[in-house]
Amino acid sequence: AKWEDALQLLGEMALSEVDVDVISCNAAISACDMVGEWEHALQLFNAMVESRVEASIVTWGALINVCEKGCKWEKAVELLKSMAHGKVVCNTITFNATIRACEAGGEWPTVVHLLKEMAQSRVEMD
């Protein structure tokens, strides 16, 4: 599977003392996202944090999206909140993915809360 290849390549980069950066991590997280491997994506994100690789908007979007696919609405909301406390600004993509995760979980009060938060944050709704 390509996601496994991506994770293996990332591990080999680290062992070869090649700098693992946000782009290579995003590629591996996105590969996990494509097949719904939310646990591996989150493990990779935790490794990024430990290695002090700063997450980008692409990182956050892929993480929230994979949580949506994995029916992990609670984790999607947690990631969105973590993102809001960091240096990256939440956008339409990250809000929508979190809202979809909550919809899939039947968490309608959370959906309404996120829509209000989107409006308050002046994030464009689509």
Side-chain angles (χ1 to χ4, degrees):
K2 293 189 186 290
W3 68 272
E4 292 169 325
D5 294 341
L7 293 180
Q8 182 178 353
L9 181 59
L10 201 62
E12 289 172 6
M13 286 174 66
L15 291 174
S16 300
E17 297 182 16
V18 174
D19 284 340
V20 175
D21 61 6
V22 68
I23 295 169
S24 53
C25 290
N26 285 349
I29 290 171
S30 293
C32 291
D33 177 26
M34 294 172 88
V35 294
E37 285 290 333
W38 63 272
E39 291 171 313
H40 288 98
L42 293 174
Q43 288 173 357
L44 181 52
F45 176 68
N46 290 334
M48 280 178 68
V49 171
E50 289 174 15
S51 300
R52 293 194 165 88
V53 175
E54 194 168 322
S56 69
I57 189 71
V58 174
T59 312
W60 291 105
L63 286 168
I64 292 170
N65 200 48
V66 76
C67 288
E68 173 200 350
K69 288 178 182 174
C71 300
K72 300 295 175 190
W73 68 268
E74 303 99 329
K75 190 64 179 176
V77 171
E78 180 185 322
L79 288 165
L80 189 74
K81 287 180 182 179
S82 295
M83 183 181 173
H85 296 304
K87 297 178 182 178
V88 181
V89 178
C90 301
N91 64 14
T92 304
I93 294 168
T94 54
F95 267 107
N96 284 346
T98 307
I99 289 168
R100 284 191 307 271
C102 292
E103 285 174 341
E107 288 298 316
W108 298 109
T110 307
V111 169
V112 171
H113 173 77
L114 289 170
L115 289 169
K116 287 178 183 176
E117 192 175 322
M118 243 179 126
Q120 289 171 349
S121 302
R122 299 180 190 222
V123 173
E124 184 177 331
M125 294 186 192
D126 63 353

